[in-house]
Amino acid sequence: MNSEPVIIPRPDHPISRSQVSPNALRVLYRLKDNGYIAYLVGGCVRDLLLGREPKDFDVATNATPNQVKRLFRNCRLVGRRFRLAHIHYQDEIIEVATFRALTPEEPDEGTSVQDVPEKGAGEGERPRPPRHVVSDEGMVLRDNVFGTPEEDALRRDFTVNALAYNIADFSIIDYANGMEDLRRGVIRTIGDPLVRFTEDPVRMLRAVRFSANLGFTVEDATWQAIRELAPAITRATAPRLYEEVLKLFLSGEGERVYQLLRQAGLFSYLFPRFGAWLDRESDGFPHSQVGKALEWADDQVGGGEPVSPPLLLALMFGEYVEERTAELVEAGMPVPDAVNEAMAGFLGEQAPIIAIPQRVALAVREILLIQHRLRKIPGKRPQGVLARSCFAEALAYLRCRCAVTGEGGKILTWWERYARESVMPPVEPVADGGEAPPKRRRRRGRRRKPPAA
């Protein structure tokens, strides 16, 4: 890495302020006008240099979170692991982080890093939580140690994410040779990949996501470290892994992500029982529908059609759950009970690793349960099927299965036409005057007199 940063002046790079969110510019200029350093950092700089539209804009500064809060009335401080300032605007949140130190401050002799309290607690005051907390395995649990712009850049995960745009002179600042890796299309960790992935195992998933989304290759040492440390991915918290899985597979490159995760060995640790099922055949046929379903979801995302988390999970794991459901039905269990049992089994397998929220799990179950009803056309009360909350997603699931397997086209056509032509009755009839008709009064029985004593 460079001891001195490479400064790319404004004429030598393509980023213009017209490409930056007006709200982000407001934050940058207010920090600058109050004497603070203010940079655009991270993925937004990378995407702007690649000619892509950033999803959000992040700011780094030497102002502490409390100093940022004093500058912005619309500021909220969030986070325990990393203390951040969120500047709230009507349609956007600008995240502002204070420059972080590369390594924690040296503790006094005889005190472990994990026990160093934050300065500022006087006598008789309750001590603040430690600013730098590390697990026994070396994973960073909390880190509020502030540092310099150079330290902040070098503690980021990958070189292409360590570039900064300086609002003071509109230059790009490169401490980690990120511009070179950007030109070459390489994902490379900053520093020893074994150390960086141990500090935060989720970085392995980020490497896969960036590789798939940007079309970059993962540098050899980084890739080998991922393969070696793949089992460590389960050390991340289950709710965080759920959020990361959504980012991975709803990125528009879900099928490519799926292939990379399997090649890296990460998939079998994220979904152990499901991964083992994928590796074996059913009735002499390999399980190839997952990749094809993800391709279909990628086409939807690429065409601007939203894919909800329940629909994504149904597309990924539907064949697995349906196979188990069929076994239970064959054993004599009613279809609704079989679907419930199969879903409960899948959720039980995943709960220790990936925490799927209950509302999402219930929606996935509903999508799969409706499939059994869709096969009966018209069946009893077809309009009641349309009224079910997950009907649109269930129909999308059927549409995907038809595209993947080539089966069920007649059923799909019938329900699509029926959904277009049917008019659902209003929940409550409304009178001509715009008011609901008066409710019928309930006849009250005559009150009986208590029997004479």
Side-chain angles (χ1 to χ4, degrees), residues 388-405:
R388 294 171 78 161
S389 60
C390 291
F391 173 77
E393 290 163 311
L395 195 63
Y397 179 88
L398 178 61
R399 194 174 295 121
C400 172
R401 292 299 296 271
C402 290
V404 168
T405 66

Side-chain angles (χ1 to χ4, degrees), residues 179-199:
M179 288 295 287
E180 179 62 23
D181 283 341
L182 205 63
R183 281 190 288 267
R184 294 175 57 209
V186 172
I187 301 296
R188 183 196 312 271
T189 58
I190 299 174
D192 185 344
L194 290 171
V195 174
R196 303 315 303 276
F197 293 146
T198 299
E199 290 173 344

Side-chain angles (χ1 to χ4, degrees), residues 320-430:
Y320 176 60
V321 175
E322 285 177 343
E323 186 175 297
R324 177 58 179 153
T325 299
E327 294 172 356
L328 295 170
V329 170
E330 190 175 344
M333 188 177 288
V335 169
D337 294 343
V339 174
N340 290 341
E341 181 74 18
M343 270 301 299
F346 168 69
L347 294 171
E349 297 164 12
Q350 287 303 134
I353 304 169
I354 297 174
I356 299 173
Q358 185 179 17
R359 58 180 175 76
V360 174
L362 290 174
V364 175
R365 185 192 67 180
E366 183 77 356
I367 291 170
L368 298 179
L369 187 58
I370 291 175
Q371 300 308 307
H372 295 270
R373 175 60 184 86
L374 294 180
R375 294 169 194 162
K376 304 171 185 176
I377 50 176
K380 295 180 180 179
R381 299 186 66 252
Q383 204 156 18
V385 180
L386 266 62
R388 294 171 78 161
S389 60
C390 291
F391 173 77
E393 290 163 311
L395 195 63
Y397 179 88
L398 178 61
R399 194 174 295 121
C400 172
R401 292 299 296 271
C402 290
V404 168
T405 66
E407 300 174 356
K410 179 181 176 182
I411 295 173
L412 175 64
T413 301
W414 193 93
W415 281 106
E416 286 182 331
R417 185 176 67 249
Y418 184 76
R420 284 194 306 269
E421 296 174 354
S422 294
V423 179
M424 297 298 295
V427 176
E428 186 167 342
V430 178

Side-chain angles (χ1 to χ4, degrees), residues 106-326:
E106 291 297 326
D108 295 334
E109 188 175 352
T111 305
S112 67
V113 172
Q114 290 90 333
D115 297 329
V116 179
E118 186 172 343
K119 295 177 183 177
E123 289 186 22
E125 294 182 15
R126 184 179 180 182
R128 297 180 186 178
R131 292 191 293 177
H132 190 84
V133 181
V134 183
S135 72
D136 293 338
E137 293 86 5
M139 187 168 69
V140 177
L141 303 177
R142 186 178 301 157
D143 186 2
N144 282 319
V145 183
F146 303 139
T148 65
E150 178 182 7
E151 288 178 311
D152 187 76
L154 295 182
R155 70 181 296 282
R156 293 180 180 273
D157 48 10
F158 306 108
T159 59
V160 295
N161 291 340
L163 300 164
Y165 174 79
N166 187 358
I167 196 63
D169 58 7
F170 318 123
S171 64
I172 299 292
I173 305 173
D174 181 5
Y175 282 102
N177 293 330
M179 288 295 287
E180 179 62 23
D181 283 341
L182 205 63
R183 281 190 288 267
R184 294 175 57 209
V186 172
I187 301 296
R188 183 196 312 271
T189 58
I190 299 174
D192 185 344
L194 290 171
V195 174
R196 303 315 303 276
F197 293 146
T198 299
E199 290 173 344
D200 186 358
V202 170
R203 286 173 178 155
M204 295 187 285
L205 300 183
R206 287 167 59 83
V208 168
R209 176 156 54 91
F210 294 142
S211 175
N213 289 356
L214 301 176
F216 284 15
T217 58
V218 180
E219 179 260 341
D220 287 344
T222 302
W223 182 255
Q224 291 305 318
I226 292 174
R227 290 183 59 84
E228 182 176 338
L229 293 176
I233 193 61
T234 57
R235 292 197 203 130
T237 64
R240 188 180 180 204
L241 284 180
Y242 171 74
E243 295 298 329
E244 290 297 326
V245 164
L246 295 186
K247 291 178 186 177
L248 285 165
F249 291 106
L250 292 177
S251 63
E253 295 290 344
E255 197 277 335
R256 175 66 176 154
V257 164
Y258 169 66
Q259 299 298 343
L260 287 173
L261 286 176
R262 297 197 74 188
Q263 293 167 22
L266 287 164
F267 195 89
S268 61
Y269 289 100
L270 289 170
F271 309 102
R273 294 283 292 275
F274 179 66
W277 176 81
L278 285 173
D279 291 336
R280 67 176 184 267
E281 296 181 348
S282 292
D283 298 326
F285 293 96
H287 300 115
S288 59
Q289 289 188 21
V290 177
K292 293 176 181 177
L294 287 171
E295 284 182 349
W296 183 88
D298 290 340
D299 290 340
Q300 296 294 108
V301 173
E305 293 291 329
V307 175
S308 68
L311 177 56
L312 170 72
L313 297 180
L315 292 173
M316 286 184 66
F317 307 111
E319 186 186 7
Y320 176 60
V321 175
E322 285 177 343
E323 186 175 297
R324 177 58 179 153
T325 299

